[in-house]
């Protein structure tokens, strides 16, 4: 069988598990390594939580390394299978609050809107507090 090219996605069988990764038997008879960082998109503390010897997995050939090492990835093979993400519909933005009382936000307001609203209220309260403190301190100096 011909040697696979980098970028090829195929199924292989887990032949061994070590602390640093899993060894995978490739269709061409060679053996490659899936490093622990290439097993899942999440943090992998124990490989046994994700893979077992004898399990068939879909992998992507990343590269042929030094000393005939073959670098494979499970998470990148999964990324290729997923359909492209559809663009999210644009939600109309609320206009910035102009000088006036704070208005309650509806439950479906975006996080950014809530954060902007909080920051504006916070800035307004800080400004009011500073003005009051300045008035008090200027009154004390005159006496």
């Amino acid at each position: 069988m011909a040697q696979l090219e980098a970028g090829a996605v195929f199924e292989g069988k887990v032949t061994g598990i070590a602390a640093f990764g899993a060894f995978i038997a490739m269709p061409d008879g060679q053996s490659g390594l899936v490093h622990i960082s290439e097993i899942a998109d999440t943090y992998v503390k124990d490989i046994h939580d994700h893979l077992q010897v004898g399990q068939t997995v879909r992998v992507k050939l990343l590269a042929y390394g030094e000393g005939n090492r073959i670098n494979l990835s499970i998470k990148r093979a999964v990324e290729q299978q997923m359909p492209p993400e559809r663009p999210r519909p644009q939600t109309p933005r609320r206009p910035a609050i102009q000088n006036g009382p704070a208005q309650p936000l509806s439950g479906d307001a975006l996080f950014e809107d809530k954060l902007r609203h909080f920051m504006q209220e916070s800035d307004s309260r800080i400004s009011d507090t500073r003005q009051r403190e300045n008035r008090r301190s200027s009154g004390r100096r005159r006496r």
Side-chain angles (χ1 to χ4, degrees):
M1 189 171 199
Q3 187 177 21
L4 296 167
E5 293 185 22
V9 177
F10 55 90
E11 289 193 0
K13 188 175 238 176
V14 179
T15 59
I17 296 177
F20 53 85
F23 295 95
I24 309 293
M26 297 171 38
D28 62 3
Q30 296 183 358
S31 182
L33 173 72
V34 176
H35 188 266
I36 192 169
S37 65
E38 292 293 331
I39 291 177
D41 283 330
T42 59
Y43 175 73
V44 176
K45 183 175 183 177
D46 184 4
I47 296 172
H48 293 94
D49 293 340
H50 297 269
L51 301 172
Q52 287 79 38
V53 174
Q55 180 180 355
T56 301
V57 294
R58 188 167 185 81
V59 294
K60 180 176 183 178
L61 195 150
L62 299 178
Y64 289 96
E66 297 176 19
N68 295 329
R69 284 193 284 176
I70 300 171
N71 301 319
L72 304 171
S73 174
I74 294 173
K75 72 179 182 182
R76 294 187 198 187
V78 172
E79 288 172 359
Q80 260 191 340
Q81 286 180 208
M82 296 174 67
E85 198 173 303
R86 291 185 297 178
R88 292 173 44 192
Q90 292 293 324
T91 305
R93 298 256 178 205
R94 292 176 32 163
I97 297 174
Q98 301 296 326
N99 300 327
Q103 297 176 358
L105 293 172
S106 65
D108 58 351
L110 297 173
F111 173 75
E112 291 85 6
D113 290 333
K114 290 180 179 180
L115 180 61
R116 186 178 310 110
H117 180 76
F118 170 79
M119 294 297 292
Q120 289 172 343
E121 278 191 3
S122 177
D123 289 344
S124 175
R125 289 179 182 165
I126 289 172
S127 176
D128 291 344
T129 303
R130 285 185 181 151
Q131 286 177 352
R132 275 187 253 122
E133 287 176 355
N134 286 339
R135 283 186 212 134
R136 283 188 212 152
S137 65
S138 65
R140 289 181 190 147
R141 286 185 212 151
R142 292 180 187 165
R143 292 182 187 179

